[in-house]
Amino acid sequence: MSSSKPSNPKQTPKVKEQRGIYDVPERYEIIGGIRYDFLSSPKYVHQKILTNFYLAFHGACKEEGEILLAPMDVHFDEENIVQPDVIYIANANLGIIRDGFVFGVPDLLVEILSSSTGRRDKTIKKELYEKHGVKEYWLADPTYRTVDQFVLTEGEGYRLVATLTEEDQLQSPTIPCLTIDLASIFPENDRQ
């Protein structure tokens, strides 16, 4: 950037903006050794739901664990690095946060469905989380305003314990501090 000297000493120097190339880091996940690029930035409804989940988790469980939001890589292993929308790590499990990243299995993950990632969230990511032992997994659907709540059961894998609407209250069986009124999660219909 260049600046010009003011002709009048009392004037503030002006900065001339220059065209340049800005470094925009790529966003992608690796699942089973295959790279999946994020094709676009999330829409308003996705970000609003993400914000509301953060506020609900923080209000209920800030003393009990760590709440993180995407983009944050969760490294299950070298072949499986994902960016869930919401990551909850209980205090007893905080050792998986090392060198500024998550290396290991969080206690609860949330994905907010979108047209570009919904299929992957419902299939291969659900299978991945189940395989690595994530105790609880939620799929939030902005279109139908529902949350599918999966809980890991010993020897059986994930079990769908509830499909809840915005009229319901979600209570986590694996995170005792976590109860969320889903009406506070989904934005007004006219802002989707």
Side-chain angles (χ1 to χ4, degrees):
M1 296 219 213
S2 64
S3 61
S4 56
K5 280 195 162 196
S7 55
N8 180 344
K10 293 183 182 180
Q11 277 185 327
T12 324
K14 294 183 181 174
V15 176
K16 183 177 179 183
E17 199 172 315
Q18 296 179 347
R19 290 182 190 247
I21 298 172
Y22 296 97
D23 182 25
V24 178
E26 294 180 273
R27 286 195 56 223
Y28 60 90
E29 298 176 304
I30 299 172
I31 303 171
I34 299 170
R35 176 179 164 146
Y36 295 89
D37 291 320
F38 289 99
L39 302 176
S40 62
S41 65
K43 291 184 178 179
Y44 166 84
V45 67
H46 181 283
Q47 294 306 96
K48 188 64 177 174
I49 291 171
L50 180 64
T51 300
N52 291 343
F53 267 127
Y54 174 78
L55 294 171
F57 272 74
H58 188 264
C61 295
K62 67 182 174 202
E63 302 297 323
E64 309 297 324
E66 191 70 52
I67 304 108
L68 303 169
L69 304 177
M72 170 60 72
D73 289 345
V74 173
H75 299 251
F76 289 114
D77 55 41
E78 287 184 13
E79 297 284 309
N80 296 288
I81 303 166
V82 293
Q83 292 186 1
D85 291 312
V86 180
I87 304 161
Y88 178 79
I89 303 168
N91 285 339
N93 195 19
L94 288 178
I96 67 172
I97 302 173
R98 297 187 312 276
D99 301 323
F101 298 99
V102 178
F103 293 93
V105 181
D107 296 276
L108 187 150
L109 296 175
V110 180
E111 296 284 5
I112 302 163
L113 300 178
S114 68
S115 59
S116 63
T117 64
R119 174 181 271 189
R120 188 166 60 240
D121 293 339
K122 288 179 164 188
T123 57
I124 61 174
K125 286 178 85 172
K126 179 177 168 270
E127 290 170 14
L128 177 72
Y129 299 163
E130 182 178 51
K131 172 185 161 190
H132 284 276
V134 176
K135 295 175 194 169
E136 194 165 346
Y137 177 46
W138 302 349
L139 284 166
D141 187 329
T143 303
Y144 294 102
R145 304 168 75 82
T146 61
V147 175
D148 288 338
Q149 181 183 22
F150 295 92
V151 175
L152 196 60
T153 57
E154 197 171 317
E156 295 180 32
Y158 276 140
R159 183 171 59 89
L160 177 63
V161 295
T163 297
L164 304 162
T165 71
E166 62 191 318
E167 298 167 358
D168 296 318
Q169 190 174 65
L170 190 158
Q171 186 162 6
S172 169
T174 66
I175 314 294
C177 58
L178 194 54
T179 300
I180 299 174
D181 178 7
L182 291 178
S184 68
I185 298 299
F186 295 100
E188 297 174 25
N189 280 325
D190 61 344
R191 292 205 182 134
Q192 291 194 35

